[in-house]
Amino acid sequence: MLYDCRSAADRDRGIAAAIEAVKNGELVVLPTDTVYGIGADAFTPYAVKALLDAKGRGRQMPPPVLIGSRHTLDGLVFSLPSAARDLVEAFWPGALTIVVEHSPSLQWDLGDKTGTVAVRMPLHPVALEVLRETGPMAVSSANKTGQPAAVTAEEARDQLSYSVRAYLEAGPCPDPVPSTIVDLTGEVPQLLRAGAIPLEKLRDVVPDLVDGQGA
């Protein structure tokens, strides 16, 4: 079912339907500040598997986790490096994904790479409203692997069809550039993927950040 969140009534119905779907272990498509994402409850292993299956992706590429508030991050990690806190303070909510070591007590299964997780708080009111009710969600770009990322929910539906319970349409993404990814699990912060936030701005906050894209 596709809900047009540009209409107040449909927005309320769509957000309620998405929250219910996630809590039931089903998949949803929602807008973010980069591209549309396909999401599932991060703590329901069969839902995460369904997400990977819908995309045609294997377990070797675990999906990132989206959260609805900065405070949620503290519940996911055992110890957050000071550089991570500085970046979050500067760029969240927004198009920055950070890779951190997650708490070993977390009961989730995002894929084959264990011990670390890529986390982001998106700057989109619809996404945040859903996330604040569902808690952390595993979210990947709403497209089949190898196909273009969807910049509307309708484009996502063309690719993902009935594998998704609720599609939340909020119009075309204003700036469909992927998030910037920074790895904060090593001794030195490392840029893994250039994206919406340029390296120069990141270095204003974390001067010792290195560009690891060619590594």
Side-chain angles (χ1 to χ4, degrees), residues 6-187:
R6 293 166 293 188
S7 150
D10 222 21
R11 174 189 168 119
D12 290 344
R13 285 194 296 268
I15 287 174
I19 292 167
E20 181 182 11
V22 172
K23 290 182 176 180
N24 288 337
E26 297 174 293
L27 304 181
V28 300
V29 161
L30 67 168
T32 77
D33 47 342
T34 55
V35 296
Y36 277 72
I38 176 173
D41 177 26
F43 294 98
T44 303
Y46 69 81
V48 176
K49 182 181 184 302
L51 185 159
L52 295 174
D53 289 346
K55 283 183 63 72
R57 174 183 287 186
R59 287 175 51 82
Q60 74 279 5
M61 294 182 67
V65 169
L66 295 192
I67 57 177
S69 80
R70 295 178 188 174
H71 301 298
T72 305
L73 184 62
D74 292 323
L76 299 180
V77 298
F78 182 71
S79 177
L80 196 64
S82 59
R85 291 197 183 278
D86 292 342
L87 288 170
V88 164
E89 184 67 29
F91 298 111
W92 277 14
L96 174 69
T97 299
I98 59 171
V99 179
V100 292
E101 294 181 1
H102 68 70
S103 173
S105 62
L106 289 183
Q107 299 298 307
W108 63 14
D109 181 8
L110 299 174
D112 289 341
K113 293 181 182 176
T114 58
T116 64
V117 63
V119 191
R120 185 164 89 86
M121 180 183 175
L123 180 58
H124 196 289
V126 172
L128 290 174
E129 198 166 337
V130 173
L131 288 161
R132 284 168 183 156
E133 292 297 323
T134 62
M137 287 176 60
V139 179
S140 185
S141 57
N143 57 284
K144 291 282 189 183
T145 298
Q147 297 298 311
V151 296
T152 66
E154 192 167 353
E155 282 186 15
R157 185 171 62 175
D158 289 343
Q159 294 190 46
L160 300 167
S161 189
Y162 294 108
S163 61
V164 172
R165 177 71 173 182
Y167 290 87
L168 302 185
E169 179 67 84
C173 298
D175 190 18
V177 178
S179 67
T180 300
I181 303 178
V182 176
D183 184 353
L184 294 149
T185 61
E187 290 186 9

